[in-house]
Amino acid sequence: MSTSLKFSNKPKLTKPSSTLPPWLVLIVDDDHAVHQVTKLVMRGFEFCGRNIEFLSAFNGEEAKQILTDQPNIAMTLLDVVMESNDAGLQLTRWIREDLGNLNIRIVLRTGQPGQAPEEKVIRDYDINDYKEKTELTHAKLVTVFYASLRGYRDIIKLERAKLSLRRAISAISSVYDVQNLREFASAVLEQLNDLLNFNGDGLCASITESYTASSNEGQLKILAATDAYSDMQLDNSIDNLPASAKASIHKALQDKQHHFDEYSVTCYYRSKVGSETVVYLSFDNKIEAEGQELLEIFTANVAITYESLLLREEIEDTQRSTIYILGEAVEKRSKETGAHVKRVGEISALLGRGLALPERYVNDLLQAAPLHDIGKIGIPDAILNKPGRFEPDEWEIMKQHAFIGYELLASSDKRILQMAATIAHQHHEKWDGTGYPQGLAGENIDIAGRISALADVVDALVSKRCYKPSWRLPEALDYVKSESGKHFDPTLISILFSNLDQLEKIYERYPDTYNLA
């Protein structure tokens, strides 16, 4: 039964009205009157709904400092003759070549055209316009501003488009690299935020017909969530979401397509087999048309990853189920019931993570360790189910299950079954070299063999067997601790005792005849 959760009633931020920043225009002139007149003439001027903010410099060095500190200046009205006869020209070259700013629109103004002939200046310097100060009437100055700001706007649009394309490709690549559906969900949330440069809050939820995202068929289950939705636990339903979020999600599901509004986006994915996933994000800033277009490109591309991940997880789930069935078939043949094989896999994965092994290796452990006793399929029933101690010849036959299991599995070239073969062969080896079948010691025992050996003994002790009652978990832990450095790798014992809370959770998830008290 799923735990009932209440969504935290955090105050909803009021969406701020969007105030566009002003265009920055730098006046560079050693005549203070020119600054004053220019500002007076252009007072109240707007372009694309944005006002003008003037910055003033009275020589080349002051201008360099301002241009360095303010990289987003749209245009500059630049005098040629200031502290030197060519100060404005030298500043122009510095802007383009040293500062590397190719975006700013440079308008040269001169009261002494003889000092800088127009044809020579246009030919030799990367400027955008050249005017004599006597030409700059109100009407002509307005024309210069429109032309310069329009050019700057278009350049910035192209720059942003290039940047957005690079970010979209990077974001898509990040999603392509994920290994499972939960990683996909987290990656999509993260990359959607990065694409818009917003700090959005949201979650990813899925309806599937298999294990891949939901333990209950037909219900929308949460795969990943940002901090603002931390109350929504993984695999919990979306019933406790705010009404606006639920409405957006249901609309996307109903229309079978992405849903955008000014402050949120809901991305919709559907696989060929009918599984559906939605990603919902809300923002405090408006999503402009350009942002929506970028999101649509991104979501269309990651849908391919979604499809392949569902297929991969379906195959892995089938493989995992097959392994459990095989492992449990052996358990049932030896008249042992419960979830021993699943717990051995889970405990092995717990120990693997404690060793900081790669996640792929840990996942292989989870699937391979349940086959540790597969060789018992070749042991006669009379020996397998004997309630008392074995006779010496019976014990020799029983020990053969390690080699039988290895032979059954080693012929496969599949990675997980190769690991399972090693585990079947070595899970009865001991750290001090007194185990079987090879008498390996210490690190000569494969790490998968050492891990599964400890996992198997812990769970065998707390499980009821034909030859013994179940032990209490504290008793089993005391025993394996006493065998540190003898039967078990001391490092693994330390990891086990550092993760007792996680160990108990495994038994809560896969209960059997045991006693935690």
Side-chain angles (χ1 to χ4, degrees):
M1 180 180 296
S2 63
T3 305
S4 176
L5 296 174
K6 292 183 179 179
F7 185 83
S8 58
N9 292 318
K10 300 170 184 171
K12 188 66 177 176
L13 294 175
T14 302
K15 303 297 183 185
S17 57
S18 178
T19 303
L20 294 173
W23 303 101
L24 297 181
V25 175
L26 174 63
I27 304 174
V28 186
D29 201 299
D30 57 356
D31 186 344
H32 286 68
V34 170
H35 292 258
Q36 296 170 355
V37 169
T38 303
K39 293 176 184 179
L40 180 64
V41 169
M42 297 306 298
R43 185 172 57 186
F45 177 86
E46 285 188 6
F47 175 68
C48 290
R50 296 167 63 176
N51 297 321
I52 299 292
E53 179 180 333
F54 285 104
L55 305 173
S56 291
F58 297 92
N59 56 59
E61 288 304 314
E62 287 183 11
K64 287 181 180 181
Q65 186 62 53
I66 294 173
L67 287 161
T68 301
D69 294 340
Q70 298 279 0
N72 296 322
I73 295 174
M75 65 177 289
T76 178
L77 298 169
L78 177 56
D79 191 11
V80 174
V81 180
M82 293 182 288
E83 65 269 30
S84 66
N85 289 339
D86 64 348
L89 299 178
Q90 294 303 317
L91 180 59
T92 296
R93 183 158 285 160
W94 179 86
I95 292 171
R96 298 302 195 206
E97 296 179 4
D98 296 339
L99 188 60
N101 187 340
L102 303 179
N103 296 339
I104 187 173
R105 303 296 84 193
I106 299 176
V107 178
L108 280 183
R109 296 196 298 183
T110 180
Q112 305 175 45
Q115 291 292 115
E118 182 174 352
E119 181 180 348
K120 175 178 171 57
V121 170
I122 292 293
R123 182 187 68 226
D124 295 343
Y125 294 88
D126 183 5
I127 64 170
N128 304 105
D129 206 348
Y130 182 99
K131 299 291 182 184
E132 294 183 27
K133 290 183 180 179
T134 55
E135 290 184 80
L136 290 177
T137 62
H138 174 266
K140 288 190 176 181
L141 195 57
V142 167
T143 300
V144 166
F145 268 68
Y146 272 120
S148 298
L149 293 179
R150 186 174 289 119
Y152 179 79
R153 178 202 61 188
D154 293 343
I155 288 172
I156 295 304
K157 277 188 176 181
L158 287 173
E159 289 288 329
R160 288 172 60 186
K162 287 165 56 180
L163 178 61
S164 295
L165 182 58
R166 287 197 296 269
R167 291 197 347 244
I169 292 171
S170 175
I172 291 165
S173 298
S174 297
V175 175
Y176 282 167
D177 290 338
V178 301
Q179 298 298 314
N180 57 59
L181 202 58
R182 290 206 186 281
E183 287 183 19
F184 169 83
S186 298
V188 170
L189 283 173
E190 179 182 349
Q191 297 305 324
L192 283 173
N193 261 322
D194 287 347
L195 281 176
L196 294 179
N197 280 327
F198 289 165
N199 184 23
D201 294 321
L203 52 84
C204 180
S206 183
I207 303 175
T208 74
E209 298 174 357
S210 66
Y211 167 82
T212 50
S214 173
S215 57
N216 293 326
E217 296 180 7
Q219 286 192 333
L220 201 61
K221 293 291 183 178
I222 294 172
L223 298 174
T226 61
D227 290 343
Y229 291 84
S230 58
D231 288 345
M232 308 301 295
Q233 295 180 355
L234 298 183
D235 290 331
N236 194 248
S237 72
I238 67 164
D239 293 342
N240 294 320
L241 283 175
S244 58
K246 282 197 294 186
S248 294
I249 290 172
H250 288 310
K251 181 170 179 56
L253 288 169
Q254 178 181 336
D255 296 344
K256 309 296 183 187
Q257 63 183 19
H258 309 313
H259 173 59
F260 298 93
D261 63 27
E262 285 188 321
Y263 294 100
S264 73
V265 55
T266 307
C267 301
Y268 172 85
Y269 305 98
R270 179 181 175 85
S271 74
K272 292 177 182 177
V273 296
S275 298
E276 298 173 287
T277 290
V278 288
V279 179
Y280 170 81
L281 273 173
S282 63
F283 308 98
D284 289 332
N285 304 83
K286 281 187 177 181
I287 305 173
E288 305 295 340
E290 180 183 334
Q292 288 193 17
E293 183 178 357
L294 191 60
L295 291 175
E296 287 170 352
I297 293 171
F298 172 75
T299 53
N301 279 275
V302 300
I304 302 169
T305 303
Y306 172 70
E307 180 74 39
S308 63
L309 278 174
L310 281 176
L311 179 60
R312 183 199 302 175
E313 294 208 349
E314 180 72 25
I315 293 171
E316 289 180 353
D317 185 41
T318 301
Q319 174 180 275
R320 189 180 299 113
S321 297
T322 302
I323 288 172
Y324 287 157
I325 289 169
L326 287 173
E328 289 175 354
V330 174
E331 293 291 301
K332 285 183 169 63
R333 181 169 174 267
S334 60
K335 298 181 180 177
E336 296 167 358
T337 59
H340 172 65
V341 294
K342 291 181 180 179
R343 292 194 297 263
V344 170
E346 293 284 345
I347 296 170
S348 296
L350 174 65
L351 295 171
R353 290 192 186 95
L355 279 176
L357 296 175
E359 190 60 30
R360 182 177 181 180
Y361 190 92
V362 171
N363 187 59
D364 289 352
L365 271 174
L366 178 67
Q367 298 187 64
L371 292 175
H372 63 286
D373 273 339
I374 192 69
K376 287 182 178 179
I377 197 169
I379 305 301
D381 288 347
I383 295 176
L384 196 61
N385 294 312
K386 184 176 180 179
R389 295 179 64 86
F390 292 128
E391 297 298 328
D393 59 332
E394 293 174 330
W395 176 235
E396 290 303 316
I397 294 173
M398 186 62 184
K399 288 195 296 184
Q400 291 176 13
H401 82 277
F403 186 69
I404 294 171
Y406 172 76
E407 280 194 317
L408 281 171
L409 299 167
S411 60
S412 172
D413 61 355
K414 301 304 179 185
R415 187 184 71 253
I416 291 174
L417 294 182
Q418 282 289 314
M419 179 186 284
T422 299
I423 288 172
H425 202 202
Q426 297 186 10
H427 74 286
H428 284 296
E429 300 288 357
K430 296 184 178 181
W431 184 257
D432 63 5
T434 62
Y436 67 87
Q438 298 172 281
L440 301 176
E443 294 186 357
N444 288 326
I445 307 169
D446 190 272
I447 186 60
R450 282 179 268 155
I451 287 173
S452 57
L454 178 55
D456 181 34
V457 170
V458 169
D459 194 68
L461 290 174
V462 298
S463 301
K464 184 178 179 180
R465 293 291 183 259
C466 62
Y467 52 85
K468 73 165 190 67
S470 62
W471 290 24
R472 292 168 55 249
L473 183 58
E475 293 173 336
L477 292 172
D478 287 343
Y479 172 77
V480 297
K481 188 174 185 179
S482 72
E483 289 292 305
S484 177
K486 293 181 285 185
H487 190 156
F488 306 113
D489 181 343
T491 300
L492 294 178
I493 293 293
S494 297
I495 290 171
L496 181 68
F497 278 83
S498 297
N499 292 276
L500 293 182
D501 56 335
Q502 297 299 315
L503 180 65
E504 292 190 5
K505 288 179 181 178
I506 290 172
Y507 282 98
E508 290 170 3
R509 289 200 305 273
Y510 304 103
D512 194 12
T513 304
Y514 68 97
N515 190 347
L516 288 177

